[in-house]
């Protein structure tokens, strides 16, 4: 779990998921492992998988922040979005951690509520001013809104904070390829390999 969390903090969520896979596949239910997996899925742009992990983690620890978050997600799944988002915002404002923020962002992105996601990302960024994750999420959200240049700037800011943040590098390569900037994409990949 510590190794997976370290990979996640280093901007390598796929390695975090690979590290957790044996725990998750053997059916060993561990709330911390499920929470890390949820964060990793969110960081790789898979909000539906992230929600599943957060919900499973919450079931294992009643009374925990994750449980309250899972209950809010249940409301959301049932179509009671206003109550779910109110609960998630309350949890995020009371919790010094980032789990509730991550779930709130994931839910907004899943519903393509980009402006609400950006507001939640601002709150997360205030908690994690030196982490690349919020900047990466901002880039993902802005790209979803169709604001490619602003998304590019957010991904580049994430790389300034953490030059080895693979997910942001991959997002920039994707933008480069989309814009037919093949040499720039190749240079980014070569820099990562080096």
């Amino acid at each position: 779990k510590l190794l997976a969390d370290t990979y996640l903090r280093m901007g390598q969520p796929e390695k975090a998921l690979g590290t957790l896979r044996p725990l998750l596949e053997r059916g060993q239910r561990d709330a911390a492992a499920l929470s890390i997996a949820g964060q990793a899925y969110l960081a790789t742009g898979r909000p539906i998988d992230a929600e599943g992990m957060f919900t499973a983690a919450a079931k294992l620890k009643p009374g925990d922040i994750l449980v309250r978050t899972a209950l809010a997600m249940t409301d959301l799944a049932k179509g009671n979005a206003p109550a779910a988002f109110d609960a998630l915002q309350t949890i995020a404002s009371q919790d010094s951690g980032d789990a509730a923020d991550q779930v709130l962002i994931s839910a907004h992105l899943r519903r393509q509520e980009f402006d609400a996601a950006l507001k939640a990302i601002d709150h997360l960024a205030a908690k994690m001013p030196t982490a690349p994750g919020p900047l990466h999420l901002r880039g993902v959200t802005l790209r979803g809104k169709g604001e490619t240049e602003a998304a590019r700037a957010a991904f580049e800011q994430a790389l300034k904070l953490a030059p080895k943040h693979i997910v942001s590098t991959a997002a920039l390569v994707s933008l480069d390829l989309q814009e037919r900037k093949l040499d720039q994409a190749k240079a980014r990949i070569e820099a990562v390999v080096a």
Side-chain angles (χ1 to χ4, degrees):
K1 288 183 284 187
L2 182 58
L3 179 60
D5 190 50
T6 301
Y7 279 135
L8 184 61
R9 301 298 173 206
M10 291 173 58
Q12 299 178 22
E14 291 294 344
K15 283 188 176 182
L17 288 169
T19 301
L20 292 172
R21 192 162 287 117
L23 282 175
L24 300 174
E25 288 176 351
R26 283 188 297 207
Q28 292 183 355
R29 293 301 180 192
D30 180 285
L34 291 166
S35 179
I36 295 166
Q39 292 174 50
Y41 279 127
L42 184 59
T44 59
R46 299 186 312 221
I48 294 170
D49 292 330
E51 286 178 18
M53 291 292 116
F54 287 129
T55 300
K59 288 179 182 176
L60 295 173
K61 288 190 117 184
D64 189 276
I65 289 290
L66 292 175
V67 169
R68 293 172 58 201
T69 302
L71 291 174
M73 294 312 301
T74 301
D75 278 343
L76 189 61
K78 291 178 181 176
N80 191 2
F85 284 116
D86 285 346
L88 287 170
Q89 288 170 344
T90 300
I91 295 165
S93 67
Q94 294 171 347
D95 182 24
S96 62
D98 65 341
D101 297 273
Q102 298 272 6
V103 173
L104 181 61
I105 294 163
S106 172
H108 283 307
L109 288 175
R110 183 176 175 199
R111 296 166 58 96
Q112 297 185 353
E113 297 170 347
F114 299 118
D115 291 333
L118 287 171
K119 184 177 178 183
I121 291 166
D122 287 341
H123 187 266
L124 178 61
K127 291 182 180 181
M128 307 170 67
T130 61
L135 289 166
H136 178 77
L137 289 171
R138 180 176 307 286
V140 169
T141 305
L142 291 168
R143 188 173 184 183
K145 283 183 76 171
E147 297 178 18
T148 306
E149 287 309 308
R152 181 182 292 280
F155 294 135
E156 287 173 350
Q157 284 182 299
L159 288 176
K160 284 181 185 174
L161 288 177
K164 295 180 182 179
H165 196 250
I166 301 296
V167 180
S168 291
T169 300
L172 285 168
V173 167
S174 175
L175 287 174
D176 291 340
L177 292 174
Q178 181 181 347
E179 296 171 4
R180 303 248 186 240
K181 297 178 181 178
L182 303 181
D183 290 337
Q184 190 168 325
K186 182 180 176 185
R188 286 186 203 281
I189 292 169
E190 287 172 346
V192 169
V193 172

